[in-house]
Amino acid sequence: MGQGGCSTMLGALAAFSMLSIMTYGYLSWDTPNLEERETLHPNVDEQIGLQPHIIYILADDQGYRDIGYHGSEIRTPTLDKLASEGVKLENYYVQPICSPSRSQFITGRYQIHTGLQHSIIRPSQPNCLPLDNLTLPQKLKSIGYATHMVGKWHLGFYRKECMPTHRGFDSFFGSLLGSGDYYNHYKCDSPGTCGYDLYENDNAAWDHDRGIYSTEMYTQRVLNILASHNPKKPLFLYIAYQAVHSPLQAPVNYVENYTSITNVNRRRYAAMLLCLDEAVNNITMALHKYGFYENSVIIYSSDNGGQPMAGGNNWPLRGSKGTYWEGGIRSVGFVHSPFLKLKGHVCKELIHITDWFPTLVTLAGGEIGEDMKLDGYDIWETVSEGKRSPRIEILHNIDPMYTKARNGSWAAGFGIWNTAIQSAIRVNQWKLLTGNPGNGDWVPPQSFSNGGLSRWHNERVSLTNGKSLWLFNITADPYERIDLSERYPDVVKQLLRRLAQFNKSAVPVRYPPKDPRSNPKLNGGVWGPWYKESKKKKNSGRKSKKKKDKKNASHRKQQYSGCDPSPPNS
């Protein structure tokens, strides 16, 4: 591969045996012999099976169709191999956008129970995952795990207590924001509000920045962690790649693999995904090399559906990223582990991203107390043994701030629910949506057959026809083509009541206005914590205009500084 390719990160693994697979330059997954492993870490095999190493890989904006085994034209040989030898999750759900999926993974709780029901955590907001929420790395750390995060955080950073290393991670290397340049790691939130976004623990990672493509850079950090960590100590490794989120950037040698794709966005997206696939291959090899693999659980997931305008595709599902149609929330996902009792299996049981918290804690030997008030379920036996899922419902969300359905009303909700509110719920085979679920187009692969995204092939759906409520039988109609709300009003009422019941447990929405003090220009050109606790006045007798201004600023800070600011008017 060329100098810009993801395979350049293999310098730390020079001892690996090189085997050419097809034309992609992929490396062998052969497990090193015992002598090699003993040299790296003595007595590894004696420790296998005590507590599994947990490797959670989260892709960003990967579409449902955008994996080889779903029929994509984009080649993903590593992901296909891992999935085929593990368990494919074919009824697996996440949230439609970034922060909500990440918050639910790391807490095991629905958005309505963390206050993050609305939109994402934006760079300039004094907001973060509430500090009173126990996180997965905190729980795993309490039972003996080393915890490391590499990649995209996107759970808030306005105060240092919100940073990954204060939320349970021993180390963090990555970005705090939701997106940014893959090479220079700069991000603009608005004109004039731009800054650097690459961190090593709590500090800007200037010294670690070599202008390397982020997928390469993050993978190299993962390899370094595996090379230096003793596999006798259980490891939780959370790898949250920036790819394949926009901006659409990829090393040239990967783009050259897809010159046959005429749509520029799709071609770049395909190159980014191919690079990501190779990165996962390199991580898998390192797990073998350093003695982790035989005692590991690898989970792969996307954080939400693909965005067609940015090259992603969710066909044959309806909708896209940012919507509550299946294309926004039904995700690519699989589990790969020597511990799986059923390998090469397809799991069609209902699973949600909140389920990983209790599943992984239990698998690690920890306990889940009722006081934790989790919304997730332990689904290990469902995945590993093919048993029925303990989950029969998913609250996709209730967003009381998003009321853009002009024709929504209490009357349309039978006096049970205001259908102007954006919400979605799944109970058994039934899925109910209210409000404005987002763009409901079906975007087939043919839409990417020319230079731009063609609407000619799309099946377009207008939401201006007065509707604010939909009911689908997802088991019989996974593509959401037949609205059954008028045919089954009793089912509609039942699901509306369940929404109302969930809403009783909801906490206030956390969505404060932007804080101008967040501007990187005021913080050394770097995105990072800007809120500081007010210090005790040393000289109370000194009164000046400057001190008065500082006092006023402190008062403004207190208005939105807490981890539970009052929600703004909607």
Side-chain angles (χ1 to χ4, degrees):
M1 294 291 179
Q3 187 173 359
C6 291
S7 59
T8 59
M9 67 188 91
L10 291 170
L13 300 176
F16 282 2
S17 58
M18 301 285 287
L19 287 179
S20 174
I21 300 179
M22 304 294 289
T23 59
Y24 310 120
Y26 282 72
L27 305 182
S28 171
W29 290 5
D30 293 341
T31 304
N33 61 44
L34 183 59
E35 182 179 350
E36 289 177 313
R37 290 172 60 184
E38 286 289 339
T39 301
L40 292 165
H41 296 293
N43 303 318
V44 166
D45 289 325
E46 296 177 9
Q47 302 296 324
I48 285 179
L50 297 182
Q51 286 177 300
H53 304 297
I54 299 167
I55 316 298
Y56 190 89
I57 303 173
L58 188 65
D60 199 342
D61 288 9
Q62 183 176 354
Y64 179 80
R65 184 177 178 270
D66 296 329
I67 194 164
Y69 62 81
H70 281 172
S72 178
E73 78 279 24
I74 301 173
R75 299 184 293 273
T76 56
T78 300
L79 301 182
D80 293 351
K81 178 177 172 62
L82 289 171
S84 67
E85 295 174 354
V87 175
K88 298 174 184 176
L89 308 178
E90 292 300 320
N91 199 6
Y92 170 55
Y93 289 86
V94 294
Q95 297 306 113
I97 46 180
C98 304
S99 298
S101 282
R102 293 160 203 275
S103 71
Q104 297 198 37
F105 162 66
I106 210 168
T107 66
R109 308 184 75 199
Y110 290 143
Q111 292 161 256
I112 64 164
H113 296 143
T114 61
L116 301 178
Q117 300 97 309
H118 183 69
S119 190
I120 58 173
I121 296 176
R122 301 192 181 278
S124 298
Q125 285 181 315
N127 193 13
C128 73
L129 181 71
L131 299 181
D132 58 355
N133 277 253
L134 179 69
T135 68
L136 178 58
Q138 287 172 334
K139 183 67 176 176
L140 291 174
K141 194 172 181 178
S142 73
I143 55 176
Y145 274 74
T147 58
H148 299 280
M149 179 180 175
V150 178
K152 172 179 166 179
W153 175 238
H154 206 189
L155 288 175
F157 58 88
Y158 79 104
R159 53 191 295 177
K160 67 179 182 180
E161 293 86 357
C162 301
M163 298 283 282
T165 50
H166 296 263
R167 304 311 303 271
F169 288 105
D170 294 327
S171 75
F172 168 67
F173 181 68
S175 63
L176 299 176
L177 279 62
S179 64
D181 191 279
Y182 279 70
Y183 291 95
N184 64 30
H185 318 297
Y186 273 83
K187 168 68 177 180
C188 291
D189 186 43
S190 59
T193 309
C194 304
Y196 184 72
D197 180 29
L198 181 64
Y199 267 75
E200 170 84 14
N201 297 322
D202 291 349
N203 301 300
W206 301 107
D207 294 339
H208 300 273
D209 186 358
R210 302 290 183 270
I212 300 172
Y213 186 65
S214 75
T215 303
E216 292 189 279
M217 181 178 65
Y218 291 154
T219 305
Q220 181 63 63
R221 175 52 61 96
V222 172
L223 302 187
N224 292 343
I225 291 171
L226 294 175
S228 60
H229 184 81
N230 190 333
K232 291 190 293 184
K233 181 177 175 63
L235 172 68
F236 171 51
L237 188 52
Y238 174 31
I239 311 165
Y241 279 107
Q242 178 182 357
V244 285
H245 195 293
S246 61
L248 299 177
Q249 297 172 292
V252 174
N253 54 312
Y254 288 92
V255 178
E256 290 171 350
N257 282 275
Y258 289 103
T259 55
S260 61
I261 299 178
T262 56
N263 182 296
V264 175
N265 284 353
R266 182 67 173 170
R267 185 192 313 149
R268 290 175 180 166
Y269 177 97
M272 295 164 75
L273 187 53
L274 180 61
C275 185
L276 176 60
D277 183 85
E278 186 171 327
V280 174
N281 180 74
N282 294 338
I283 292 171
T284 306
M285 287 180 54
L287 292 172
H288 280 282
K289 178 67 176 181
Y290 294 113
F292 292 90
Y293 177 80
E294 294 300 329
N295 190 34
S296 69
V297 175
I298 303 169
I299 300 170
Y300 183 89
S301 171
S302 180
D303 65 339
N304 46 248
Q307 175 55 267
M309 296 301 293
N313 192 223
N314 306 301
W315 179 262
L317 302 181
R318 182 178 186 178
S320 60
K321 173 185 177 178
T323 78
Y324 286 95
W325 304 109
E326 293 290 283
I329 58 178
R330 191 164 175 173
S331 175
V332 166
F334 62 79
V335 178
H336 180 97
S337 172
F339 298 131
L340 293 170
K341 293 185 178 179
L342 288 178
K343 296 182 176 69
H345 177 63
V346 176
C347 176
K348 295 184 179 180
E349 291 294 307
L350 194 61
I351 295 174
H352 185 249
I353 196 168
T354 53
D355 297 333
W356 296 126
F357 187 113
T359 301
L360 296 177
V361 168
T362 303
L363 196 62
E367 296 183 357
I368 301 294
E370 291 185 5
D371 59 330
M372 295 175 68
K373 298 180 180 179
L374 300 183
D375 295 305
Y377 294 84
D378 179 358
I379 45 87
W380 181 252
E381 290 185 349
T382 301
V383 174
S384 178
E385 303 176 33
K387 293 185 178 181
R388 296 301 302 271
S389 174
R391 176 179 289 282
I392 61 170
E393 65 178 7
I394 298 173
L395 176 66
H396 293 304
N397 196 25
I398 298 171
D399 184 351
M401 287 184 64
Y402 197 89
T403 54
K404 293 187 177 181
R406 298 178 181 176
N407 298 290
S409 66
W410 283 95
F414 301 96
I416 302 169
W417 186 258
N418 182 358
T419 63
I421 296 173
Q422 185 188 64
S423 67
I425 188 171
R426 169 83 176 268
V427 179
N428 293 316
Q429 74 271 31
W430 298 107
K431 178 181 177 183
L432 182 80
L433 303 100
T434 73
N436 182 346
N439 190 307
D441 290 1
W442 289 271
V443 183
Q446 300 94 298
S447 298
F448 298 94
S449 60
N450 56 32
L453 183 63
S454 171
R455 292 288 187 179
W456 180 262
H457 298 287
N458 289 12
E459 297 179 67
R460 309 213 61 188
V461 179
S462 172
L463 295 180
T464 59
N465 56 1
K467 285 191 66 62
S468 60
L469 184 150
W470 296 259
L471 176 71
F472 299 98
N473 182 332
I474 296 299
T475 303
D477 177 26
Y479 314 137
E480 297 172 298
R481 292 183 175 274
I482 305 173
D483 176 19
L484 300 172
S485 58
E486 294 183 4
R487 191 182 306 179
Y488 297 106
D490 290 342
V491 175
V492 170
K493 292 176 185 177
Q494 182 182 352
L495 269 61
L496 290 173
R497 292 189 187 99
R498 187 67 182 123
L499 275 175
Q501 186 176 359
F502 266 120
N503 202 41
K504 291 178 181 178
S505 66
V507 301
V509 178
R510 303 165 46 84
Y511 199 73
K514 291 184 178 182
D515 186 337
R517 291 164 295 176
S518 64
N519 194 323
K521 289 181 179 179
L522 305 177
N523 298 289
V526 179
W527 287 106
W530 68 87
Y531 170 77
K532 295 179 177 63
E533 296 286 352
S534 57
K535 296 181 179 179
K536 211 172 183 180
K537 295 179 183 178
K538 293 183 178 180
N539 301 309
S540 57
R542 294 177 60 189
K543 293 184 179 180
S544 64
K545 185 176 185 301
K546 184 177 181 181
K547 279 207 164 192
K548 186 176 181 181
D549 289 341
K550 285 185 177 180
K551 183 178 178 182
N552 291 338
S554 176
H555 174 74
R556 289 193 298 273
K557 283 180 181 177
Q558 292 299 322
Q559 186 175 3
Y560 291 108
S561 65
C563 272
D564 191 11
S566 300
N569 295 329
S570 57

